[in-house]
Amino acid sequence: MKGTLYSICIAPERGELKKEVSQARVIKDHGIEKDGHAGPWGRQVTCLNLASVKKVNEEKNMNIGPGEFAENLLIDGIDLAAVVIGGRLRIGSDVILEISQIGKEDHPSVVTRTLGVTLLPYEGLFCRVIEGGEIKKGDTVEVI
């Protein structure tokens, strides 16, 4: 399965909505440089399916943009629900992410308080960085 990296989003601190950037450095065993969720743990990078964001926007008559669900990466063209724990994604030519968790405990986060809706607890892919490198908006994303 192949798709496209629609957006890259980071925030310097946890608990903040993320802002879109056009490119980023992904660090092995750490996460995305300058992102508050990076660190030596299993949830270094978060991914969401762009189709899910579009669906919420249509159903709730909202205009939620990249990073507003607190995701790092929005991916277009891949059914992320078909990816399992231990599965891997290659982004661009170098970066490899391994899925360490799908979904998480739903608690009243800044996203839920701000938007009234959330996706990461149900659909988010939480990943560890197996191989680092540079990524940019529009890169190919492939399930490997």
Side-chain angles (χ1 to χ4, degrees):
M1 289 189 283
K2 286 189 178 182
T4 305
L5 183 57
Y6 180 81
S7 69
I8 306 163
C9 301
I10 61 173
E13 300 291 330
R14 291 181 188 203
E16 295 179 352
L17 297 180
K18 297 183 185 293
K19 300 292 183 199
E20 188 172 15
V21 296
S22 60
Q23 60 188 21
R25 182 171 167 239
V26 181
I27 303 166
K28 181 179 178 174
D29 297 323
H30 185 74
I32 299 176
E33 185 175 58
K34 298 180 182 174
D35 185 64
H37 283 92
W41 63 323
R43 294 185 346 200
Q44 297 168 343
V45 177
T46 57
C47 303
L48 273 181
N49 188 334
L50 177 62
S52 295
V53 175
K54 287 181 176 180
K55 183 178 177 185
V56 168
N57 280 336
E58 289 171 15
E59 289 177 355
K60 306 274 188 191
N61 195 27
M62 300 178 90
N63 188 25
I64 298 167
E68 291 185 36
F69 278 118
E71 80 284 353
N72 291 118
L73 308 177
L74 263 181
I75 298 172
D76 189 22
I78 296 177
D79 178 9
L80 296 180
V83 181
V84 298
I85 292 175
R88 292 184 174 191
L89 301 173
R90 179 188 314 276
I91 303 173
S93 58
D94 300 323
V95 173
I96 297 177
L97 304 179
E98 182 178 83
I99 290 55
S100 57
Q101 184 177 329
I102 299 171
K104 66 175 188 155
E105 180 182 340
D106 189 10
H107 56 83
S109 67
V110 67
V111 174
T112 308
R113 288 191 310 269
T114 304
L115 303 174
V117 64
T118 187
L119 285 175
L120 283 181
Y122 309 102
E123 299 184 24
L125 296 184
F126 296 88
C127 308
R128 291 183 319 112
V129 180
I130 302 302
E131 295 294 335
E134 300 289 326
I135 58 173
K136 64 183 181 319
K137 203 173 160 170
D139 275 351
T140 298
V141 179
E142 180 180 11
V143 177
I144 55 173

